[in-house]
Amino acid sequence: MTLLSPLAPPARTATVGFDQMLEEVRYEGAYPTGRQAEDVLRRVLEALGRQLTGDERVELAARLPQEAAHFLASQIPTGRPLTGWGFVKDLAERTGGTLATTRWDTGSVLGVVARLAGDDLTARILGQLPDGYALLFGRAQLVRSA
């Protein structure tokens, strides 16, 4: 019997390979090349890595292909939570993209990420993040009660 340390990362549970994930992002975003899809995937996952913390971050990394998990985990969370719109604006400023293009890119990647994460983990991620991320993940934005 093997005992796992409570600090040990969860076992990798990714169900798709990196090439398949890239192809899904390329299809969702209508990007002409895999290289463009990979650049968008990297930028969005790095930006998400600056926002996401805790168990949800670790679980999401385990459900992504290793290359994609590296993009997410390569960034240290900023401790400065951004709303969904703030996330898009910050990413646009960092990449030099327009707000419309960056919003499209973000939705293309995070929609695929949500499918790979599954409904339960996606709901927990959305519960951790400030308002405005649900639509970016392809979900309805529910109003939180006061």
Side-chain angles (χ1 to χ4, degrees):
M1 179 166 91
T2 304
L3 296 176
L4 293 177
S5 161
L7 300 177
R12 296 218 46 85
T13 59
T15 58
V16 302
F18 187 64
D19 289 340
Q20 184 179 353
M21 184 181 188
L22 275 180
E23 186 56 31
E24 288 183 34
V25 169
R26 191 177 77 73
Y27 178 80
E28 290 296 322
Y31 302 112
T33 67
R35 180 70 180 147
Q36 187 176 4
E38 185 173 352
D39 289 343
V40 168
L41 177 67
R42 178 186 49 78
R43 289 192 307 261
V44 172
L45 286 178
E46 286 174 350
L48 184 61
R50 290 188 289 274
Q51 293 298 306
L52 197 57
T53 62
D55 291 342
E56 290 78 13
R57 176 185 172 105
V58 173
E59 275 188 60
L60 179 58
R63 293 187 190 187
L64 297 176
Q66 189 169 1
E67 299 90 329
H70 174 74
F71 298 147
L72 177 77
S74 70
Q75 300 297 305
I76 298 170
T78 64
R80 182 178 58 107
L82 298 172
T83 64
W85 183 238
F87 178 85
V88 170
K89 289 192 319 186
D90 181 66
L91 185 55
E93 289 171 9
R94 288 174 183 267
T95 62
T98 66
L99 291 174
T101 300
T102 303
R103 167 58 183 91
W104 177 267
D105 293 344
T106 301
S108 298
V109 171
L110 295 183
V112 172
V113 166
R115 284 195 298 279
L116 294 176
D119 290 338
D120 179 61
L121 179 55
T122 299
R124 291 190 349 245
I125 289 169
L126 292 173
Q128 180 192 120
L129 295 169
D131 286 337
Y133 283 86
L135 293 174
L136 298 175
F137 279 87
R139 302 290 196 263
Q141 179 69 51
L142 302 177
V143 178
R144 296 180 188 191
S145 61

